[in-house]
């Protein structure tokens, strides 16, 4: 079993920055591919960013490319999402997710999910 706990969400003005953290525990957490998703009211869940455990290859959704950065600290079993130049349409609940193995991180059925952290960007 793997447990994921997100933190770092909050209220920020447009143009500001936030750093989200996802602390993983249980199982062989360092062998999991990790990702961030988000979901705003009335919308489908959207892939934001992902990172492979083996190569640290990163992936980003088009809407956040160039503004967000995903990173991983294996010693701390923690994945981060640095969010810069935030926009009001970045407002959503952000979820951390883990998948053991997949060929496509954007379409995979993730094995574990956190409960989410709210990010609100004011104009």
């Amino acid at each position: 079993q793997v447990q994921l706990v997100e933190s770092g969400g909050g209220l920020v003005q447009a143009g500001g920055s936030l750093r989200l953290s996802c602390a993983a525990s249980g199982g062989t957490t360092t062998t999991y591919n990790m990702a961030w998703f988000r979901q705003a009211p009335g919308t489908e869940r959207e892939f934001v960013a992902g990172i492979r455990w083996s190569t640290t290859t990163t992936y980003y959704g088009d809407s956040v490319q160039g503004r967000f950065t995903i990173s991983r600290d294996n010693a701390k079993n923690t994945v981060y999402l640095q969010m810069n130049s935030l926009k009001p349409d970045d407002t959503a609940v952000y979820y951390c997710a883990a998948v053991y193995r997949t060929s496509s991180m954007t379409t995979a059925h993730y094995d574990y999910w956190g409960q989410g952290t709210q990010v609100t960007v004011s104009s």
Side-chain angles (χ1 to χ4, degrees):
Q1 295 291 322
V2 174
Q3 294 79 45
L4 305 175
V5 180
E6 303 97 333
S7 62
L11 176 65
V12 65
Q13 290 184 310
S17 299
L18 285 173
R19 188 181 72 168
L20 305 183
S21 298
C22 174
S25 62
T28 54
T29 56
T30 58
T31 67
Y32 282 79
N33 304 298
M34 304 295 297
W36 289 95
F37 289 79
R38 68 186 183 186
Q39 187 168 23
T43 70
E44 297 292 326
R45 183 174 291 168
E46 176 188 15
F47 176 83
V48 176
I51 185 168
R52 295 277 187 183
W53 75 267
S54 58
T55 65
T56 69
T57 301
T58 57
Y59 308 84
Y60 295 97
D62 290 341
S63 62
V64 305
Q65 180 72 47
R67 298 188 297 120
F68 292 7
T69 302
I70 187 171
S71 61
R72 188 170 193 165
D73 187 338
N74 288 340
K76 297 181 178 180
N77 292 320
T78 301
V79 177
Y80 303 96
L81 183 68
Q82 179 66 47
M83 305 185 295
N84 297 326
S85 301
L86 284 163
K87 305 174 182 179
D89 57 0
D90 292 320
T91 296
V93 177
Y94 284 71
Y95 298 92
C96 179
V99 60
Y100 178 62
R101 55 192 298 174
T102 183
S103 59
S104 176
M105 296 192 66
T106 59
T107 61
H109 290 105
Y110 280 74
D111 299 310
Y112 300 100
W113 293 84
Q115 292 190 343
T117 184
Q118 176 71 47
V119 172
T120 302
V121 184
S122 62
S123 60

